[in-house]
């Protein structure tokens, strides 16, 4: 066992994901307390150059053609072998589509404890404390990271990606891959995001709708409001999963990241997965009947009125204001 | 294709949540539990696969308040077998749950195990990848759509930013479902009520629910962010007036 902190670098199609830098920042906090090194585990095929700006003390690079694309099977096999050999104090993975395919699998195989949804870490001497978000971000859970080795799944929000980037290229050493034949998972191809619809990540104003809308019929109320504002309608996950709006309108972890001048969130609770996609908006205004909704922790203005009352009233007042000014901005499709 | 679906019950986040006297757990006395929405998608995906490729669908859920209705609803949608995992299920972690589930699934020997890719109260990772490790099956999560193909399935795996990978997964496998190929179907209450009279739920003792070496939560609290929204009080009409003023200040209107 060592006092090192491992970070499993996430990258896809030649680009390091921001969560990797967030994890490196978290790892640094722990390593400073344990006295160990921050070790970036980089798995890939012809991907060594991705080590360039990782804020790690060293990079362990595992090269193999079977690692050209992320697959759960290849990553599981390589990481199990790597972590068994090095037994770091902690190994950090993203609470993401990549980390999620391997972390709990590794925990079961290695019999290591696992903490998920971890937002931040702190350390006092040898005690490492984690803070995880639970219940859609409504509750935070705090505890001590068990030892001697542990797995931690990190969510974004606790550290800025810049904190995990460095101008200096870290030292890179190669580690041999275990045999990677007969893997049961393979990537056939990638499907690019649909570009035939409006690109919500480029829109200066967005009206966004969540579960609070309750029925498909009510989406019309929000579309009218968006039309008055001259902007498209976007949504949180449940709305898209119901088929009420296309996936091109999805904001959040598995959808688009948007940073409009105004993000008007209607009936959206503000679960972490959603905030990941809109938290950096210039101004967030949230309307939700639940005063405890986490969306109010990121919004500049909030109201707990019923959106079914507010949307038509607001639409009418916007139209009136436009009429008074004698100008009508071209309405975008919604 | 025989499919086992694992369904969890999770706190209804629409209700106000309270922390109990220990300060380290949710107060369950008034806590309303609902089906984990992503597990509901897993049930739907299983029924869609049954409709296209045949086979039996078994739905397994822990014995918590409301579980019978959830299982009967699954039966009304087309599930063939219902299993209730009995024991001290309140507050059980995924380590313990996965161990119990693995024992049952080994007996069922399904080709595919489906479960929601996550639940809102997961603190030790999700059930799916743990089950895959215990059962020696492949695992792929963040799946939104599954198509059968001989001895494998083709799945749509979602990444951030809307990128999707088409992934081939050899069976047997566990899949963590983000969304079913179609929105979960609606079943009328009358049909669920009918199922509650005709369908049978098998009670299966969970056995040892050892929480393992998982992280112990010492303290729970409601997040106090550095900033909180400035709340606009009043009726809808007054709120709308204030918003118009804000839009004008921001040069949006």
């Amino acid at each position: 066992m060592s006092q090192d902190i491992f970070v499993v670098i996430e990258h896809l199609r030649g680009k390091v994901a921001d969560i990797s830098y967030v994890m490196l920042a978290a790892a640094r906090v722990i390593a400073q307390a344990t006295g160990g090194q921050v070790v970036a585990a980089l798995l890939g095929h012809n991907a060594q150059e991705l080590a360039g700006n990782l804020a790690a003390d060293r990079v362990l690079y595992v090269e193999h053609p079977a690692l050209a694309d992320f697959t759960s099977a290849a990553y599981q096999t390589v990481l199990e072998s790597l972590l068994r050999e090095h037994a770091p104090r902690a190994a950090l993975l993203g609470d993401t589509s990549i980390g999620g395919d391997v972390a709990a699998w590794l925990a079961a195989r290695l019999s290591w404890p696992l903490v998920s949804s971890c937002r931040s870490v702190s350390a006092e001497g040898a005690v490492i404390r984690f803070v995880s978000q639970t219940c859609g971000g409504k509750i935070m859970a705090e505890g001590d990271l068990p030892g001697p080795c542990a797995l931690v799944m990190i969510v974004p929000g606790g550290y800025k990606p810049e904190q995990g980037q460095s101008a200096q290229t870290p030292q890179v050493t190669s580690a041999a891959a275990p045999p990677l034949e007969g893997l049961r998972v393979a990537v056939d191809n990638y499907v690019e995001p649909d570009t035939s619809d409006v690109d919500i990540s480029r829109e200066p104003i967005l009206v966004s709708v969540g579960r609070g809308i309750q029925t498909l019929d009510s989406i019309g109320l929000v579309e009218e409001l968006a039309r008055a504002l001259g902007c498209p309608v976007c949504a949180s996950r449940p709305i898209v999963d119901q088929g009420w709006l296309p996936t091109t309108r999805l904001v959040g972890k598995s959808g688009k990241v948007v940073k409009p001048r105004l993000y008007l969130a209607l009936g959206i609770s503000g679960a972490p997965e959603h905030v990941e996609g809109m938290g950096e908006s210039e101004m967030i205004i949230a309307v939700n009947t639940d005063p405890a909704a986490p969306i109010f922790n990121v919004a500049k203005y909030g109201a707990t009125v019923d959106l079914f009352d507010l949307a038509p009233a607001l639409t009418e007042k916007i139209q009136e204001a436009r009429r008074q000014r004698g100008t009508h901005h071209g309405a975008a499709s919604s | 294709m025989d499919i086992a679906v694992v369904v969890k019950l999770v706190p209804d986040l629409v209700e106000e949540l309270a922390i109990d006297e220990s300060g380290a757990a949710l107060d369950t006395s008034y806590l309303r539990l609902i089906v984990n929405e992503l597990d509901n998608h897993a049930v739907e995906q299983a029924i869609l696969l049954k409709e296209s490729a045949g086979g039996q669908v078994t739905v397994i859920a822990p014995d918590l308040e409301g579980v019978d209705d959830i299982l009967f609803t699954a039966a009304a949608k087309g599930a063939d077998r219902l299993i209730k995992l009995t024991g001290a299920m309140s507050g059980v972690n995924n380590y313990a749950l996965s161990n119990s589930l693995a024992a049952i699934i080994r007996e069922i020997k399904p080709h595919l195990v489906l479960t929601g890719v996550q639940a809102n109260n997961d603190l030790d990772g999700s059930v799916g990848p743990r089950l895959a490790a215990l059962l020696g099956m492949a695992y792929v999560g963040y799946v939104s759509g599954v198509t059968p193909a001989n001895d494998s399935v083709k799945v749509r795996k979602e990444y951030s930013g809307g990128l999707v990978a088409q992934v081939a997964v050899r069976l047997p496998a566990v899949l963590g479902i983000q969304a079913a190929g179609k929105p979960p179907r609606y079943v009328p209450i009358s049909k669920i009520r009918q199922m509650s009279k005709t369908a049978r739920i098998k009670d299966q003792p969970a056995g040892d629910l050892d929480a393992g070496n998982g992280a112990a939560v010492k303290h729970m609290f409601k997040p106090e962010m550095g900033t909180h929204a400035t709340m606009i009080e009043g009726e809808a009409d007054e709120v709308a007036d204030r918003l118009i003023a804000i839009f004008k200040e921001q040069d949006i209107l």
Side-chain angles (χ1 to χ4, degrees):
Chain A
M1 185 210 144
S2 80
Q3 293 303 324
D4 292 345
I5 311 303
F6 269 49
V7 173
V8 178
I9 300 300
E10 294 197 2
H11 60 97
L12 209 55
R13 302 206 300 174
K15 193 175 178 298
V16 175
D18 274 354
I19 192 70
S20 303
Y21 302 118
V22 171
M23 289 192 281
L24 287 166
R28 182 61 62 194
V29 173
I30 309 175
Q32 274 165 355
T34 63
Q37 286 193 320
V38 173
V39 181
L42 178 63
L43 284 54
H45 180 48
N46 299 328
Q48 191 168 344
E49 65 188 47
L50 297 180
N53 67 344
L54 303 176
D57 297 311
R58 59 195 176 95
V59 176
L60 267 182
Y61 177 59
V62 183
E63 159 71 35
H64 197 284
L67 297 167
D69 289 300
F70 168 80
T71 66
S72 54
Y75 267 58
Q76 286 166 353
T77 308
V78 172
L79 289 171
E80 184 185 356
S81 144
L82 211 60
L83 294 178
R84 261 190 216 288
E85 183 189 336
H86 292 270
R89 172 67 185 88
L92 275 45
L93 296 105
D95 209 326
T96 60
S97 187
I98 289 179
D101 272 12
V102 288
W105 188 93
L106 289 169
R109 294 280 297 189
L110 298 165
S111 293
W112 288 10
L114 168 63
V115 174
S116 59
S117 301
C118 175
R119 197 180 148 94
S120 65
V121 288
S122 58
E124 267 174 54
V127 180
I128 301 162
R129 207 151 289 147
F130 68 86
V131 178
S132 290
Q133 58 197 21
T134 180
C135 297
K138 281 187 151 183
I139 303 277
M140 305 303 277
E142 193 178 46
D144 297 343
L145 191 66
C149 304
L151 293 152
V152 185
M153 296 174 77
I154 303 283
V155 294
Y159 306 91
K160 291 196 183 305
E162 299 79 55
Q163 292 173 262
Q165 293 170 353
S166 165
Q168 281 180 323
T169 300
Q171 175 209 339
V172 181
T173 49
S174 284
L180 289 172
E181 286 93 42
L183 296 174
R184 290 186 290 172
V185 179
V187 175
D188 285 343
N189 60 287
Y190 292 97
V191 183
E192 303 298 330
D194 182 1
T195 54
S196 61
D197 191 19
V198 55
D199 181 357
I200 53 170
S201 68
R202 302 171 77 96
E203 292 288 325
I205 304 172
L206 289 170
V207 172
S208 193
V209 61
R211 199 192 299 273
I213 196 73
Q214 293 170 16
T215 64
L216 172 59
D217 292 346
S218 309
I219 299 261
L221 278 181
V222 180
E223 283 177 334
E224 275 174 44
L225 172 58
R227 210 169 295 135
L229 273 170
C231 72
V233 177
C234 55
S236 62
R237 185 90 214 192
I239 302 303
V240 172
D241 283 346
Q242 283 297 330
W244 295 349
L245 282 173
T247 49
T248 47
R249 304 300 179 91
L250 177 61
V251 172
K253 185 175 183 176
S254 49
K256 290 262 171 65
V257 174
V258 300
K259 296 174 187 173
R261 283 177 57 206
L262 170 66
Y263 190 89
L264 181 56
L266 303 175
I268 290 178
S269 68
E273 293 82 8
H274 184 71
V275 172
E276 207 178 314
M278 48 64 83
E280 299 291 308
S281 301
E282 280 178 43
M283 181 187 280
I284 297 163
I285 299 176
V287 178
N288 195 307
T289 50
D290 177 6
I295 191 78
F296 293 126
N297 294 326
V298 293
K300 180 156 170 64
Y301 295 103
T304 53
V305 290
D306 197 325
L307 76 89
F308 298 103
D309 297 329
L310 180 72
L314 189 55
T315 305
E316 204 181 299
K317 286 179 198 290
I318 293 167
Q319 287 164 342
E320 194 184 301
R322 292 223 197 272
R323 274 196 300 273
Q324 279 174 5
R325 295 178 71 185
T327 56
H328 184 80
H329 297 241
S333 64
S334 57
Chain B
M1 188 181 324
D2 292 338
I3 304 171
V5 188
V6 173
V7 171
K8 287 213 320 177
L9 282 83
V10 296
D12 183 353
L13 301 183
V14 173
E15 307 281 323
E16 194 175 335
L17 302 174
I19 294 158
D20 71 9
E21 280 178 6
S22 77
L26 285 182
D27 185 345
T28 53
S29 46
Y30 298 102
L31 192 64
R32 204 172 92 95
L33 296 175
I34 53 169
V35 61
N36 174 28
E37 194 173 346
L38 303 187
D39 294 342
N40 208 21
H41 278 268
V43 169
E44 182 61 33
Q45 186 61 68
I47 303 298
L48 290 172
L49 285 167
K50 178 187 165 179
E51 285 169 351
S52 69
Q56 277 226 322
V57 173
T58 306
V59 179
I60 313 166
D63 186 9
L64 288 163
E65 196 179 339
V67 67
D68 287 5
D69 270 352
I70 289 168
L71 289 171
F72 288 135
T73 304
K77 290 176 178 179
D80 303 281
R81 289 201 291 174
L82 313 174
I83 296 177
K84 183 158 69 179
L85 202 55
T86 60
M89 284 296 165
S90 182
V92 72
N93 68 4
N94 285 341
Y95 174 93
L97 190 60
S98 305
N99 284 334
S100 295
L101 287 165
I104 295 173
I105 294 170
R106 269 190 208 106
E107 283 174 31
I108 300 172
K109 294 190 182 65
H111 302 100
L112 201 56
V113 179
L114 302 183
T115 187
V117 68
Q118 57 187 16
N120 70 30
N121 60 352
D122 287 341
L123 278 171
D124 60 343
S126 54
V127 171
R130 256 183 212 283
L131 275 178
L134 295 171
L135 297 166
M137 295 184 182
Y139 177 79
V140 175
Y142 289 84
V143 167
S144 60
V146 185
T147 318
N150 298 323
D151 63 344
S152 60
V153 285
K154 303 274 184 184
V155 307
R156 286 168 48 89
K157 177 172 172 63
E158 295 190 351
Y159 290 106
S160 60
L163 180 70
V164 169
Q166 298 274 10
V167 179
V169 189
R170 212 167 336 131
L171 301 176
V174 181
L175 301 178
I177 301 295
Q178 171 75 61
K182 286 181 186 168
R185 67 195 67 195
Y186 171 78
V187 280
I189 304 240
S190 59
K191 205 171 167 195
I192 300 169
R193 220 172 268 148
Q194 191 190 328
M195 276 298 160
S196 71
K197 294 187 182 112
T198 56
R200 201 177 72 87
I201 295 176
K202 184 186 173 195
D203 285 2
Q204 181 111 19
D208 184 18
L209 284 170
D210 170 25
N213 56 0
V217 172
K218 279 194 165 171
H219 176 213
M220 275 190 177
F221 57 98
K222 296 191 176 181
E224 292 277 339
M225 297 293 178
T227 57
H228 188 275
T230 304
M231 299 308 282
I232 305 168
E233 306 296 338
E235 300 295 315
D237 211 50
E238 298 161 72
V239 173
D241 281 334
R242 181 75 187 99
L243 290 182
I244 294 287
I246 293 168
F247 293 166
K248 284 181 176 165
E249 280 164 30
Q250 297 295 319
D251 211 17
I252 280 162
L253 202 63

